[in-house]
Structures are given as C-alpha cells and as structure tokens.
Amino acid sequence: MIEITPLAVSAADLAVGGEPVAGRDVRLSLAPAATRHSLRARDPAVLARVIGRALPERIGEMRGGIACLGPDEYYALLPAGEVLPEGVGQAVSVVEISDRALGFVIEGEGAAALIATGCPLDLDHFAIGRATRTLFETVEIILIREYTARFHIEVWRSFAPWLWHALAAAIADG
C-alpha cells in the first residue's frame, strides 16, 4: 500500500517552487513553458494530415513532441507559442490545453529512484523516448523519459503544488 505524504490541509496551502530542488543525486525543476494540445482521431492519417506532422505509430511512443497515449489519443508537448491547426470540419479533435498542465523535469542519477517512490512503473525497463499516462501516488501524470537520467512529468495545474512538494519531500528524505 502506498502511503500518501501528509503535506498540507489543502492545495491552497501549497505553491509550486520557483527554484530547483536538488539532493540525492537528483534535481527537480520546472520545465520551460510549452504549448500543449490534446489530440484525438480514429484515423491517425487524417490527424497527421490536419496538423501537418507525423504521428507516433505505437502507444507509448513519442515523435516530434507528440506522444501516443492510446489507440486514438495523442498529447502534443511543443515549444511555447507553437500553434496547431484545429481541423474544423474534419473527424479530429485538436484542443489547445496549455493552461491545464505544468511540466517538471527530474534529472540526475537518482531520477528514476525518486520517481519510483510514488510511481508503480518499472523504470528500469522504461525506454528512452517512451511516454505514458501513470500515477504518482494518487495523482495522474504523463511521464516521459527523455534520456537515461532525465524525465519530464506533465501534471494538471491543480495537482502541481502537491506533486512538487511530494517530490521535494522525497528528495529531502533521501
């Protein structure tokens, strides 16, 4: 059973840290600003044509900033200000959701061990370039392995303060 760290009475008591937190051979920091899109389509070829980009072909694969999260679901994490066509009149859904989430970067030799304190995935077998929806304790996240010792976590903005403090506490407890 995973024990949820008692960090605050409510999320209003927390704030995402502005300064990186380091220790235990790991560093936690905010990711650079980004544009995020939720992309859905039954036919990936139609979606690729609408947005003018190749899509990942398998669930868990990431290509050009786009992760395939399910059979008809993609998550685009693009440089700040980048715009995708909406596909009006096409059998696709392209929704800009940049304000919904924040990104965290966890890097260093202890990155996988830190994430494993609250995530059920076997990170020893989580390939570079892989992206998936998972949990950290009870909070839904999108986890992306960018390099051997570098992960990117996308989390809904309302859960971000709690997750930031849970990760910082795990670093401090190291």
Side-chain angles (χ1 to χ4, degrees), residues 119-170:
C119 180
L121 295 178
D122 178 358
L123 297 176
D124 290 337
H125 295 97
F126 195 76
I128 295 168
R130 177 130 193 239
T132 191
R133 182 179 288 117
T134 187
L135 296 173
F136 186 92
E137 294 191 9
T138 60
V139 174
E140 182 179 304
I141 63 173
I142 295 175
L143 180 65
I144 304 163
R145 188 168 210 165
E146 296 178 330
Y147 303 102
T148 301
R150 181 182 166 105
F151 294 84
H152 180 103
I153 292 177
E154 286 285 299
V155 61
W156 282 25
R157 191 172 294 275
S158 58
F159 293 106
W162 183 89
L163 181 61
W164 178 271
H165 287 276
L167 291 166

mmCIF file of all heavy atoms in Angstrom, residues 119-170:
data_model
loop_
_atom_site.group_PDB
_atom_site.id
_atom_site.type_symbol
_atom_site.label_atom_id
_atom_site.label_comp_id
_atom_site.label_asym_id
_atom_site.label_seq_id
_atom_site.Cartn_x
_atom_site.Cartn_y
_atom_site.Cartn_z
ATOM 1 N N CYS A 119 5.576 5.995 -7.946
ATOM 2 C CA CYS A 119 5.074 5.548 -9.245
ATOM 3 C C CYS A 119 5.248 4.037 -9.381
ATOM 4 O O CYS A 119 6.338 3.523 -9.124
ATOM 5 C CB CYS A 119 5.830 6.272 -10.354
ATOM 6 S SG CYS A 119 5.305 5.810 -12.019
ATOM 7 N N PRO A 120 4.207 3.318 -9.800
ATOM 8 C CA PRO A 120 4.281 1.861 -9.861
ATOM 9 C C PRO A 120 5.032 1.291 -11.062
ATOM 10 O O PRO A 120 5.234 0.083 -11.137
ATOM 11 C CB PRO A 120 2.805 1.448 -9.924
ATOM 12 C CG PRO A 120 2.143 2.585 -10.621
ATOM 13 C CD PRO A 120 2.876 3.816 -10.132
ATOM 14 N N LEU A 121 5.461 2.116 -11.995
ATOM 15 C CA LEU A 121 6.131 1.598 -13.192
ATOM 16 C C LEU A 121 7.514 1.048 -12.875
ATOM 17 O O LEU A 121 8.208 1.542 -11.991
ATOM 18 C CB LEU A 121 6.284 2.703 -14.244
ATOM 19 C CG LEU A 121 5.005 3.257 -14.849
ATOM 20 C CD1 LEU A 121 5.336 4.376 -15.826
ATOM 21 C CD2 LEU A 121 4.212 2.167 -15.541
ATOM 22 N N ASP A 122 7.937 0.052 -13.633
ATOM 23 C CA ASP A 122 9.296 -0.476 -13.558
ATOM 24 C C ASP A 122 10.160 0.411 -14.450
ATOM 25 O O ASP A 122 10.248 0.194 -15.659
ATOM 26 C CB ASP A 122 9.322 -1.928 -14.033
ATOM 27 C CG ASP A 122 10.715 -2.521 -14.023
ATOM 28 O OD1 ASP A 122 11.689 -1.803 -13.690
ATOM 29 O OD2 ASP A 122 10.831 -3.720 -14.358
ATOM 30 N N LEU A 123 10.775 1.419 -13.863
ATOM 31 C CA LEU A 123 11.521 2.406 -14.644
ATOM 32 C C LEU A 123 12.828 1.856 -15.204
ATOM 33 O O LEU A 123 13.399 2.449 -16.114
ATOM 34 C CB LEU A 123 11.752 3.660 -13.808
ATOM 35 C CG LEU A 123 10.450 4.369 -13.404
ATOM 36 C CD1 LEU A 123 10.736 5.542 -12.495
ATOM 37 C CD2 LEU A 123 9.660 4.809 -14.623
ATOM 38 N N ASP A 124 13.283 0.719 -14.701
ATOM 39 C CA ASP A 124 14.471 0.082 -15.278
ATOM 40 C C ASP A 124 14.190 -0.392 -16.704
ATOM 41 O O ASP A 124 15.103 -0.562 -17.491
ATOM 42 C CB ASP A 124 14.923 -1.109 -14.428
ATOM 43 C CG ASP A 124 15.513 -0.683 -13.099
ATOM 44 O OD1 ASP A 124 15.977 0.477 -12.988
ATOM 45 O OD2 ASP A 124 15.492 -1.498 -12.161
ATOM 46 N N HIS A 125 12.929 -0.614 -17.021
ATOM 47 C CA HIS A 125 12.537 -1.080 -18.350
ATOM 48 C C HIS A 125 11.710 -0.044 -19.110
ATOM 49 O O HIS A 125 11.043 -0.379 -20.082
ATOM 50 C CB HIS A 125 11.767 -2.406 -18.229
ATOM 51 C CG HIS A 125 12.617 -3.497 -17.695
ATOM 52 N ND1 HIS A 125 12.619 -3.849 -16.365
ATOM 53 C CD2 HIS A 125 13.531 -4.287 -18.299
ATOM 54 C CE1 HIS A 125 13.492 -4.831 -16.182
ATOM 55 N NE2 HIS A 125 14.054 -5.105 -17.327
ATOM 56 N N PHE A 126 11.760 1.183 -18.674
ATOM 57 C CA PHE A 126 11.029 2.276 -19.320
ATOM 58 C C PHE A 126 11.994 2.945 -20.288
ATOM 59 O O PHE A 126 12.911 3.662 -19.885
ATOM 60 C CB PHE A 126 10.528 3.253 -18.248
ATOM 61 C CG PHE A 126 9.477 4.211 -18.726
ATOM 62 C CD1 PHE A 126 8.167 3.809 -18.912
ATOM 63 C CD2 PHE A 126 9.798 5.535 -18.966
ATOM 64 C CE1 PHE A 126 7.194 4.702 -19.331
ATOM 65 C CE2 PHE A 126 8.835 6.438 -19.379
ATOM 66 C CZ PHE A 126 7.532 6.023 -19.568
ATOM 67 N N ALA A 127 11.819 2.706 -21.560
ATOM 68 C CA ALA A 127 12.789 3.114 -22.586
ATOM 69 C C ALA A 127 12.867 4.621 -22.774
ATOM 70 O O ALA A 127 11.894 5.354 -22.559
ATOM 71 C CB ALA A 127 12.420 2.456 -23.909
ATOM 72 N N ILE A 128 14.025 5.077 -23.211
ATOM 73 C CA ILE A 128 14.211 6.476 -23.595
ATOM 74 C C ILE A 128 13.264 6.767 -24.760
ATOM 75 O O ILE A 128 13.135 5.971 -25.685
ATOM 76 C CB ILE A 128 15.680 6.744 -23.997
ATOM 77 C CG1 ILE A 128 16.583 6.553 -22.783
ATOM 78 C CG2 ILE A 128 15.839 8.140 -24.591
ATOM 79 C CD1 ILE A 128 18.060 6.519 -23.119
ATOM 80 N N GLY A 129 12.571 7.904 -24.689
ATOM 81 C CA GLY A 129 11.618 8.273 -25.721
ATOM 82 C C GLY A 129 10.220 7.752 -25.470
ATOM 83 O O GLY A 129 9.301 8.038 -26.223
ATOM 84 N N ARG A 130 10.039 7.020 -24.401
ATOM 85 C CA ARG A 130 8.719 6.475 -24.065
ATOM 86 C C ARG A 130 7.914 7.509 -23.284
ATOM 87 O O ARG A 130 8.453 8.270 -22.488
ATOM 88 C CB ARG A 130 8.880 5.215 -23.223
ATOM 89 C CG ARG A 130 7.557 4.646 -22.796
ATOM 90 C CD ARG A 130 7.415 3.193 -23.081
ATOM 91 N NE ARG A 130 6.002 2.865 -22.921
ATOM 92 C CZ ARG A 130 5.548 1.971 -22.076
ATOM 93 N NH1 ARG A 130 6.365 1.265 -21.356
ATOM 94 N NH2 ARG A 130 4.259 1.755 -21.983
ATOM 95 N N ALA A 131 6.601 7.490 -23.481
ATOM 96 C CA ALA A 131 5.677 8.379 -22.778
ATOM 97 C C ALA A 131 4.443 7.584 -22.409
ATOM 98 O O ALA A 131 3.953 6.784 -23.208
ATOM 99 C CB ALA A 131 5.287 9.559 -23.663
ATOM 100 N N THR A 132 3.950 7.791 -21.191
ATOM 101 C CA THR A 132 2.747 7.095 -20.767
ATOM 102 C C THR A 132 2.020 7.872 -19.691
ATOM 103 O O THR A 132 2.620 8.662 -18.969
ATOM 104 C CB THR A 132 3.081 5.674 -20.240
ATOM 105 O OG1 THR A 132 1.869 4.938 -20.089
ATOM 106 C CG2 THR A 132 3.810 5.716 -18.917
ATOM 107 N N ARG A 133 0.738 7.615 -19.616
ATOM 108 C CA ARG A 133 -0.056 8.147 -18.507
ATOM 109 C C ARG A 133 0.096 7.149 -17.367
ATOM 110 O O ARG A 133 0.003 5.945 -17.560
ATOM 111 C CB ARG A 133 -1.515 8.261 -18.927
ATOM 112 C CG ARG A 133 -2.386 8.855 -17.846
ATOM 113 C CD ARG A 133 -3.834 8.983 -18.277
ATOM 114 N NE ARG A 133 -3.985 10.043 -19.264
ATOM 115 C CZ ARG A 133 -4.400 9.846 -20.507
ATOM 116 N NH1 ARG A 133 -4.696 8.648 -20.937
ATOM 117 N NH2 ARG A 133 -4.529 10.857 -21.336
ATOM 118 N N THR A 134 0.345 7.643 -16.160
ATOM 119 C CA THR A 134 0.508 6.783 -14.994
ATOM 120 C C THR A 134 0.120 7.580 -13.754
ATOM 121 O O THR A 134 -0.498 8.637 -13.861
ATOM 122 C CB THR A 134 1.957 6.232 -14.909
ATOM 123 O OG1 THR A 134 2.033 5.270 -13.845
ATOM 124 C CG2 THR A 134 2.988 7.331 -14.709
ATOM 125 N N LEU A 135 0.502 7.077 -12.597
ATOM 126 C CA LEU A 135 0.210 7.746 -11.337
ATOM 127 C C LEU A 135 1.489 7.991 -10.559
ATOM 128 O O LEU A 135 2.429 7.204 -10.628
ATOM 129 C CB LEU A 135 -0.704 6.890 -10.455
ATOM 130 C CG LEU A 135 -2.098 6.607 -10.960
ATOM 131 C CD1 LEU A 135 -2.785 5.609 -10.049
ATOM 132 C CD2 LEU A 135 -2.914 7.879 -11.062
ATOM 133 N N PHE A 136 1.500 9.071 -9.799
ATOM 134 C CA PHE A 136 2.467 9.271 -8.722
ATOM 135 C C PHE A 136 1.608 9.343 -7.477
ATOM 136 O O PHE A 136 0.829 10.283 -7.313
ATOM 137 C CB PHE A 136 3.300 10.532 -8.886
ATOM 138 C CG PHE A 136 4.375 10.632 -7.840
ATOM 139 C CD1 PHE A 136 5.638 10.122 -8.077
ATOM 140 C CD2 PHE A 136 4.110 11.184 -6.599
ATOM 141 C CE1 PHE A 136 6.627 10.179 -7.100
ATOM 142 C CE2 PHE A 136 5.082 11.250 -5.615
ATOM 143 C CZ PHE A 136 6.353 10.747 -5.871
ATOM 144 N N GLU A 137 1.723 8.332 -6.636
ATOM 145 C CA GLU A 137 0.802 8.110 -5.517
ATOM 146 C C GLU A 137 -0.606 8.107 -6.085
ATOM 147 O O GLU A 137 -0.947 7.193 -6.798
ATOM 148 C CB GLU A 137 1.063 9.075 -4.375
ATOM 149 C CG GLU A 137 2.433 8.825 -3.739
ATOM 150 C CD GLU A 137 2.665 9.547 -2.438
ATOM 151 O OE1 GLU A 137 1.724 10.132 -1.878
ATOM 152 O OE2 GLU A 137 3.813 9.516 -1.983
ATOM 153 N N THR A 138 -1.428 9.111 -5.845
ATOM 154 C CA THR A 138 -2.789 9.100 -6.391
ATOM 155 C C THR A 138 -3.006 10.155 -7.466
ATOM 156 O O THR A 138 -4.134 10.360 -7.910
ATOM 157 C CB THR A 138 -3.812 9.339 -5.260
ATOM 158 O OG1 THR A 138 -3.532 10.606 -4.661
ATOM 159 C CG2 THR A 138 -3.748 8.240 -4.219
ATOM 160 N N VAL A 139 -1.948 10.809 -7.894
ATOM 161 C CA VAL A 139 -2.062 11.897 -8.866
ATOM 162 C C VAL A 139 -1.723 11.382 -10.267
ATOM 163 O O VAL A 139 -0.672 10.782 -10.488
ATOM 164 C CB VAL A 139 -1.115 13.056 -8.481
ATOM 165 C CG1 VAL A 139 -1.113 14.137 -9.550
ATOM 166 C CG2 VAL A 139 -1.530 13.641 -7.138
ATOM 167 N N GLU A 140 -2.629 11.622 -11.216
ATOM 168 C CA GLU A 140 -2.376 11.229 -12.603
ATOM 169 C C GLU A 140 -1.314 12.140 -13.211
ATOM 170 O O GLU A 140 -1.379 13.368 -13.075
ATOM 171 C CB GLU A 140 -3.657 11.330 -13.423
ATOM 172 C CG GLU A 140 -3.473 10.890 -14.857
ATOM 173 C CD GLU A 140 -4.749 10.970 -15.657
ATOM 174 O OE1 GLU A 140 -5.755 10.369 -15.251
ATOM 175 O OE2 GLU A 140 -4.727 11.657 -16.699
ATOM 176 N N ILE A 141 -0.351 11.512 -13.886
ATOM 177 C CA ILE A 141 0.717 12.251 -14.563
ATOM 178 C C ILE A 141 0.941 11.647 -15.940
ATOM 179 O O ILE A 141 0.518 10.522 -16.207
ATOM 180 C CB ILE A 141 2.052 12.223 -13.768
ATOM 181 C CG1 ILE A 141 2.578 10.787 -13.634
ATOM 182 C CG2 ILE A 141 1.892 12.897 -12.415
ATOM 183 C CD1 ILE A 141 3.979 10.677 -13.022
ATOM 184 N N ILE A 142 1.606 12.395 -16.788
ATOM 185 C CA ILE A 142 2.179 11.843 -18.012
ATOM 186 C C ILE A 142 3.677 11.849 -17.783
ATOM 187 O O ILE A 142 4.265 12.888 -17.470
ATOM 188 C CB ILE A 142 1.796 12.660 -19.257
ATOM 189 C CG1 ILE A 142 0.281 12.571 -19.492
ATOM 190 C CG2 ILE A 142 2.566 12.154 -20.482
ATOM 191 C CD1 ILE A 142 -0.225 13.442 -20.619
ATOM 192 N N LEU A 143 4.286 10.686 -17.908
ATOM 193 C CA LEU A 143 5.715 10.521 -17.660
ATOM 194 C C LEU A 143 6.418 10.278 -18.986
ATOM 195 O O LEU A 143 6.013 9.400 -19.754
ATOM 196 C CB LEU A 143 5.954 9.348 -16.710
ATOM 197 C CG LEU A 143 7.398 9.043 -16.341
ATOM 198 C CD1 LEU A 143 8.006 10.196 -15.545
ATOM 199 C CD2 LEU A 143 7.485 7.749 -15.553
ATOM 200 N N ILE A 144 7.447 11.060 -19.243
ATOM 201 C CA ILE A 144 8.230 10.951 -20.475
ATOM 202 C C ILE A 144 9.691 10.744 -20.082
ATOM 203 O O ILE A 144 10.230 11.521 -19.282
ATOM 204 C CB ILE A 144 8.112 12.229 -21.332
ATOM 205 C CG1 ILE A 144 6.643 12.530 -21.645
ATOM 206 C CG2 ILE A 144 8.961 12.118 -22.596
ATOM 207 C CD1 ILE A 144 6.381 13.948 -22.122
ATOM 208 N N ARG A 145 10.314 9.711 -20.618
ATOM 209 C CA ARG A 145 11.741 9.505 -20.363
ATOM 210 C C ARG A 145 12.489 10.129 -21.538
ATOM 211 O O ARG A 145 12.455 9.625 -22.649
ATOM 212 C CB ARG A 145 12.094 8.034 -20.221
ATOM 213 C CG ARG A 145 13.545 7.877 -19.772
ATOM 214 C CD ARG A 145 13.864 6.488 -19.333
ATOM 215 N NE ARG A 145 14.900 6.522 -18.318
ATOM 216 C CZ ARG A 145 15.178 5.498 -17.547
ATOM 217 N NH1 ARG A 145 14.495 4.378 -17.654
ATOM 218 N NH2 ARG A 145 16.133 5.599 -16.655
ATOM 219 N N GLU A 146 13.183 11.239 -21.259
ATOM 220 C CA GLU A 146 13.903 11.945 -22.314
ATOM 221 C C GLU A 146 15.302 11.369 -22.531
ATOM 222 O O GLU A 146 15.771 11.307 -23.664
ATOM 223 C CB GLU A 146 13.984 13.431 -21.970
ATOM 224 C CG GLU A 146 12.604 14.077 -21.936
ATOM 225 C CD GLU A 146 12.633 15.535 -21.556
ATOM 226 O OE1 GLU A 146 13.541 15.959 -20.797
ATOM 227 O OE2 GLU A 146 11.744 16.268 -22.020
ATOM 228 N N TYR A 147 15.983 11.018 -21.470
ATOM 229 C CA TYR A 147 17.327 10.417 -21.512
ATOM 230 C C TYR A 147 17.399 9.403 -20.377
ATOM 231 O O TYR A 147 16.483 9.291 -19.575
ATOM 232 C CB TYR A 147 18.417 11.489 -21.317
ATOM 233 C CG TYR A 147 18.355 12.600 -22.323
ATOM 234 C CD1 TYR A 147 17.810 13.835 -21.982
ATOM 235 C CD2 TYR A 147 18.819 12.414 -23.620
ATOM 236 C CE1 TYR A 147 17.744 14.865 -22.910
ATOM 237 C CE2 TYR A 147 18.737 13.436 -24.554
ATOM 238 C CZ TYR A 147 18.208 14.654 -24.196
ATOM 239 O OH TYR A 147 18.129 15.665 -25.114
ATOM 240 N N THR A 148 18.501 8.712 -20.272
ATOM 241 C CA THR A 148 18.665 7.713 -19.217
ATOM 242 C C THR A 148 18.379 8.305 -17.848
ATOM 243 O O THR A 148 17.681 7.708 -17.030
ATOM 244 C CB THR A 148 20.092 7.127 -19.243
ATOM 245 O OG1 THR A 148 20.302 6.530 -20.520
ATOM 246 C CG2 THR A 148 20.292 6.094 -18.160
ATOM 247 N N ALA A 149 18.907 9.492 -17.580
ATOM 248 C CA ALA A 149 18.777 10.096 -16.256
ATOM 249 C C ALA A 149 17.980 11.405 -16.297
ATOM 250 O O ALA A 149 18.220 12.322 -15.517
ATOM 251 C CB ALA A 149 20.162 10.345 -15.668
ATOM 252 N N ARG A 150 17.000 11.480 -17.212
ATOM 253 C CA ARG A 150 16.175 12.693 -17.294
ATOM 254 C C ARG A 150 14.742 12.315 -17.682
ATOM 255 O O ARG A 150 14.510 11.677 -18.704
ATOM 256 C CB ARG A 150 16.742 13.672 -18.313
ATOM 257 C CG ARG A 150 15.935 14.970 -18.415
ATOM 258 C CD ARG A 150 16.530 15.880 -19.473
ATOM 259 N NE ARG A 150 15.649 16.938 -19.839
ATOM 260 C CZ ARG A 150 15.779 18.204 -19.455
ATOM 261 N NH1 ARG A 150 16.789 18.560 -18.689
ATOM 262 N NH2 ARG A 150 14.930 19.117 -19.848
ATOM 263 N N PHE A 151 13.805 12.746 -16.833
ATOM 264 C CA PHE A 151 12.386 12.516 -17.057
ATOM 265 C C PHE A 151 11.655 13.853 -17.095
ATOM 266 O O PHE A 151 12.059 14.810 -16.440
ATOM 267 C CB PHE A 151 11.790 11.677 -15.924
ATOM 268 C CG PHE A 151 12.311 10.274 -15.850
ATOM 269 C CD1 PHE A 151 13.496 9.998 -15.197
ATOM 270 C CD2 PHE A 151 11.608 9.232 -16.429
ATOM 271 C CE1 PHE A 151 13.983 8.705 -15.117
ATOM 272 C CE2 PHE A 151 12.083 7.936 -16.356
ATOM 273 C CZ PHE A 151 13.275 7.668 -15.695
ATOM 274 N N HIS A 152 10.573 13.873 -17.830
ATOM 275 C CA HIS A 152 9.668 15.029 -17.861
ATOM 276 C C HIS A 152 8.325 14.516 -17.356
ATOM 277 O O HIS A 152 7.842 13.474 -17.807
ATOM 278 C CB HIS A 152 9.540 15.555 -19.297
ATOM 279 C CG HIS A 152 8.643 16.740 -19.407
ATOM 280 N ND1 HIS A 152 9.125 18.012 -19.553
ATOM 281 C CD2 HIS A 152 7.290 16.855 -19.375
ATOM 282 C CE1 HIS A 152 8.105 18.857 -19.621
ATOM 283 N NE2 HIS A 152 6.986 18.175 -19.516
ATOM 284 N N ILE A 153 7.732 15.251 -16.411
ATOM 285 C CA ILE A 153 6.412 14.909 -15.888
ATOM 286 C C ILE A 153 5.451 16.041 -16.230
ATOM 287 O O ILE A 153 5.726 17.205 -15.962
ATOM 288 C CB ILE A 153 6.444 14.706 -14.359
ATOM 289 C CG1 ILE A 153 7.237 13.449 -14.004
ATOM 290 C CG2 ILE A 153 5.027 14.633 -13.791
ATOM 291 C CD1 ILE A 153 7.375 13.206 -12.514
ATOM 292 N N GLU A 154 4.324 15.679 -16.813
ATOM 293 C CA GLU A 154 3.226 16.607 -17.040
ATOM 294 C C GLU A 154 2.167 16.311 -15.986
ATOM 295 O O GLU A 154 1.801 15.145 -15.773
ATOM 296 C CB GLU A 154 2.621 16.398 -18.437
ATOM 297 C CG GLU A 154 3.475 16.909 -19.561
ATOM 298 C CD GLU A 154 3.439 18.426 -19.652
ATOM 299 O OE1 GLU A 154 2.356 18.995 -19.870
ATOM 300 O OE2 GLU A 154 4.506 19.039 -19.493
ATOM 301 N N VAL A 155 1.698 17.342 -15.302
ATOM 302 C CA VAL A 155 0.698 17.173 -14.252
ATOM 303 C C VAL A 155 -0.313 18.317 -14.354
ATOM 304 O O VAL A 155 0.042 19.445 -14.715
ATOM 305 C CB VAL A 155 1.357 17.135 -12.849
ATOM 306 C CG1 VAL A 155 2.104 18.429 -12.541
ATOM 307 C CG2 VAL A 155 0.340 16.822 -11.764
ATOM 308 N N TRP A 156 -1.566 18.003 -14.069
ATOM 309 C CA TRP A 156 -2.581 19.045 -14.087
ATOM 310 C C TRP A 156 -2.200 20.127 -13.080
ATOM 311 O O TRP A 156 -1.737 19.843 -11.978
ATOM 312 C CB TRP A 156 -3.953 18.467 -13.755
ATOM 313 C CG TRP A 156 -4.592 17.739 -14.898
ATOM 314 C CD1 TRP A 156 -3.965 17.150 -15.958
ATOM 315 C CD2 TRP A 156 -5.976 17.526 -15.090
ATOM 316 N NE1 TRP A 156 -4.882 16.585 -16.789
ATOM 317 C CE2 TRP A 156 -6.123 16.796 -16.283
ATOM 318 C CE3 TRP A 156 -7.100 17.871 -14.362
ATOM 319 C CZ2 TRP A 156 -7.367 16.421 -16.769
ATOM 320 C CZ3 TRP A 156 -8.332 17.490 -14.844
ATOM 321 C CH2 TRP A 156 -8.461 16.775 -16.046
ATOM 322 N N ARG A 157 -2.421 21.352 -13.477
ATOM 323 C CA ARG A 157 -2.035 22.510 -12.671
ATOM 324 C C ARG A 157 -2.596 22.440 -11.244
ATOM 325 O O ARG A 157 -1.917 22.806 -10.291
ATOM 326 C CB ARG A 157 -2.527 23.777 -13.370
ATOM 327 C CG ARG A 157 -2.009 25.060 -12.814
ATOM 328 C CD ARG A 157 -2.412 26.234 -13.696
ATOM 329 N NE ARG A 157 -1.785 26.187 -15.008
ATOM 330 C CZ ARG A 157 -0.575 26.653 -15.286
ATOM 331 N NH1 ARG A 157 0.145 27.194 -14.339
ATOM 332 N NH2 ARG A 157 -0.085 26.584 -16.502
ATOM 333 N N SER A 158 -3.796 21.930 -11.065
ATOM 334 C CA SER A 158 -4.387 21.878 -9.729
ATOM 335 C C SER A 158 -3.658 20.895 -8.815
ATOM 336 O O SER A 158 -3.691 21.042 -7.595
ATOM 337 C CB SER A 158 -5.873 21.523 -9.805
ATOM 338 O OG SER A 158 -6.052 20.286 -10.457
ATOM 339 N N PHE A 159 -2.998 19.887 -9.379
ATOM 340 C CA PHE A 159 -2.247 18.913 -8.587
ATOM 341 C C PHE A 159 -0.761 19.262 -8.498
ATOM 342 O O PHE A 159 -0.017 18.646 -7.738
ATOM 343 C CB PHE A 159 -2.372 17.508 -9.191
ATOM 344 C CG PHE A 159 -3.747 16.946 -9.097
ATOM 345 C CD1 PHE A 159 -4.548 16.863 -10.230
ATOM 346 C CD2 PHE A 159 -4.252 16.496 -7.891
ATOM 347 C CE1 PHE A 159 -5.825 16.335 -10.159
ATOM 348 C CE2 PHE A 159 -5.533 15.972 -7.805
ATOM 349 C CZ PHE A 159 -6.320 15.894 -8.941
ATOM 350 N N ALA A 160 -0.307 20.217 -9.289
ATOM 351 C CA ALA A 160 1.126 20.535 -9.384
ATOM 352 C C ALA A 160 1.751 20.932 -8.046
ATOM 353 O O ALA A 160 2.845 20.441 -7.714
ATOM 354 C CB ALA A 160 1.366 21.611 -10.436
ATOM 355 N N PRO A 161 1.126 21.781 -7.240
ATOM 356 C CA PRO A 161 1.763 22.123 -5.955
ATOM 357 C C PRO A 161 1.967 20.897 -5.063
ATOM 358 O O PRO A 161 3.025 20.728 -4.458
ATOM 359 C CB PRO A 161 0.791 23.122 -5.318
ATOM 360 C CG PRO A 161 0.054 23.714 -6.476
ATOM 361 C CD PRO A 161 -0.084 22.585 -7.463
ATOM 362 N N TRP A 162 0.962 20.046 -4.995
ATOM 363 C CA TRP A 162 1.096 18.845 -4.170
ATOM 364 C C TRP A 162 2.216 17.956 -4.682
ATOM 365 O O TRP A 162 3.053 17.482 -3.915
ATOM 366 C CB TRP A 162 -0.222 18.062 -4.140
ATOM 367 C CG TRP A 162 -0.103 16.877 -3.249
ATOM 368 C CD1 TRP A 162 -0.354 16.826 -1.920
ATOM 369 C CD2 TRP A 162 0.379 15.581 -3.617
ATOM 370 N NE1 TRP A 162 -0.063 15.573 -1.424
ATOM 371 C CE2 TRP A 162 0.389 14.784 -2.461
ATOM 372 C CE3 TRP A 162 0.809 15.014 -4.814
ATOM 373 C CZ2 TRP A 162 0.796 13.461 -2.458
ATOM 374 C CZ3 TRP A 162 1.216 13.691 -4.815
ATOM 375 C CH2 TRP A 162 1.205 12.934 -3.646
ATOM 376 N N LEU A 163 2.247 17.730 -5.995
ATOM 377 C CA LEU A 163 3.274 16.860 -6.571
ATOM 378 C C LEU A 163 4.662 17.452 -6.369
ATOM 379 O O LEU A 163 5.611 16.742 -6.023
ATOM 380 C CB LEU A 163 3.004 16.613 -8.059
ATOM 381 C CG LEU A 163 3.998 15.693 -8.749
ATOM 382 C CD1 LEU A 163 4.007 14.310 -8.112
ATOM 383 C CD2 LEU A 163 3.677 15.595 -10.248
ATOM 384 N N TRP A 164 4.797 18.761 -6.557
ATOM 385 C CA TRP A 164 6.091 19.419 -6.350
ATOM 386 C C TRP A 164 6.590 19.154 -4.925
ATOM 387 O O TRP A 164 7.724 18.757 -4.707
ATOM 388 C CB TRP A 164 5.968 20.922 -6.607
ATOM 389 C CG TRP A 164 7.248 21.669 -6.359
ATOM 390 C CD1 TRP A 164 7.667 22.216 -5.177
ATOM 391 C CD2 TRP A 164 8.284 21.910 -7.306
ATOM 392 N NE1 TRP A 164 8.902 22.793 -5.337
ATOM 393 C CE2 TRP A 164 9.299 22.627 -6.629
ATOM 394 C CE3 TRP A 164 8.448 21.615 -8.654
ATOM 395 C CZ2 TRP A 164 10.467 23.046 -7.268
ATOM 396 C CZ3 TRP A 164 9.609 22.031 -9.297
ATOM 397 C CH2 TRP A 164 10.601 22.738 -8.600
ATOM 398 N N HIS A 165 5.708 19.361 -3.962
ATOM 399 C CA HIS A 165 6.106 19.182 -2.562
ATOM 400 C C HIS A 165 6.345 17.713 -2.210
ATOM 401 O O HIS A 165 7.223 17.408 -1.406
ATOM 402 C CB HIS A 165 5.089 19.843 -1.628
ATOM 403 C CG HIS A 165 5.199 21.332 -1.655
ATOM 404 N ND1 HIS A 165 6.102 22.013 -0.882
ATOM 405 C CD2 HIS A 165 4.566 22.256 -2.413
ATOM 406 C CE1 HIS A 165 6.009 23.310 -1.147
ATOM 407 N NE2 HIS A 165 5.092 23.476 -2.069
ATOM 408 N N ALA A 166 5.585 16.802 -2.806
ATOM 409 C CA ALA A 166 5.817 15.378 -2.564
ATOM 410 C C ALA A 166 7.183 14.965 -3.100
ATOM 411 O O ALA A 166 7.934 14.236 -2.431
ATOM 412 C CB ALA A 166 4.711 14.550 -3.224
ATOM 413 N N LEU A 167 7.540 15.431 -4.291
ATOM 414 C CA LEU A 167 8.853 15.112 -4.857
ATOM 415 C C LEU A 167 9.975 15.772 -4.063
ATOM 416 O O LEU A 167 11.006 15.153 -3.771
ATOM 417 C CB LEU A 167 8.909 15.534 -6.327
ATOM 418 C CG LEU A 167 8.034 14.720 -7.280
ATOM 419 C CD1 LEU A 167 7.906 15.426 -8.635
ATOM 420 C CD2 LEU A 167 8.564 13.308 -7.459
ATOM 421 N N ALA A 168 9.777 17.038 -3.668
ATOM 422 C CA ALA A 168 10.787 17.731 -2.856
ATOM 423 C C ALA A 168 10.980 17.040 -1.517
ATOM 424 O O ALA A 168 12.113 16.908 -1.033
ATOM 425 C CB ALA A 168 10.389 19.198 -2.662
ATOM 426 N N ALA A 169 9.872 16.574 -0.917
ATOM 427 C CA ALA A 169 9.973 15.863 0.371
ATOM 428 C C ALA A 169 10.728 14.547 0.194
ATOM 429 O O ALA A 169 11.534 14.161 1.054
ATOM 430 C CB ALA A 169 8.580 15.603 0.945
ATOM 431 N N ALA A 170 10.485 13.850 -0.918
ATOM 432 C CA ALA A 170 11.204 12.601 -1.169
ATOM 433 C C ALA A 170 12.696 12.855 -1.374
ATOM 434 O O ALA A 170 13.534 12.051 -0.943
ATOM 435 C CB ALA A 170 10.603 11.894 -2.386
#
